[in-house]
Amino acid sequence: QVQLVESGGGLVQAGGSLRLSCATSGIIFSFGIRSMSWYRQAPGKQRDLVATITSGGNTNYADSVQGRFTISRDNAKNTVFLQMNSLKPEDTAVYYCNVQRYSGRDYWGQGTQVTVSS
């Protein structure tokens, strides 16, 4: 019954901003969740980690997005966000939400497309 649904992607010009959301069901953030992350995958490339937030609130970012992206969560709504500012064409990719339980079990969303034009 666990589901992750990403939304908020779209087409934006370089320098613009987007806010991605990951709505979850079957998951309670205050119980058994180790971390929440955003990954992205560009055409012909592997899926790479973009940002992570732990159950304690610590965050980590890929060097390529440091200072431009911010990951956050709303525990009451069981939702993860990714605020993306100063977007660049190289940020174009499908963005995926990931949740990991303390047991090590992972859950993935279906992805949302982000396209940044020059």
Side-chain angles (χ1 to χ4, degrees):
Q1 294 183 347
V2 173
Q3 291 187 343
L4 282 65
V5 180
E6 301 95 334
S7 62
L11 175 64
V12 65
Q13 293 189 13
S17 299
L18 286 173
R19 191 191 193 205
L20 306 184
S21 298
C22 174
T24 70
S25 62
I27 298 176
I28 301 176
F29 283 4
S30 61
F31 184 77
I33 301 301
R34 174 182 292 167
S35 64
M36 295 137 280
S37 300
W38 286 94
Y39 288 74
R40 67 186 182 187
Q41 186 170 24
K45 297 184 178 180
Q46 68 178 21
R47 188 173 298 183
D48 293 326
L49 178 64
V50 175
T52 297
I53 184 167
T54 69
S55 60
N58 295 323
T59 59
N60 192 28
Y61 299 91
D63 289 342
S64 59
V65 306
Q66 182 72 245
R68 299 188 296 120
F69 291 10
T70 302
I71 187 171
S72 62
R73 69 189 182 198
D74 186 330
N75 289 341
K77 297 181 179 180
N78 297 314
T79 302
V80 186
F81 304 97
L82 184 68
Q83 178 67 45
M84 305 185 295
N85 298 326
S86 301
L87 283 163
K88 304 175 181 180
E90 49 263 45
D91 294 320
T92 296
V94 177
Y95 284 71
Y96 297 90
C97 181
N98 170 269
V99 175
Q100 186 178 45
R101 299 186 65 87
Y102 284 112
S103 66
R105 189 170 185 174
D106 285 293
Y107 303 97
W108 292 90
Q110 83 292 336
T112 185
Q113 177 71 48
V114 172
T115 302
V116 184
S117 62
S118 59

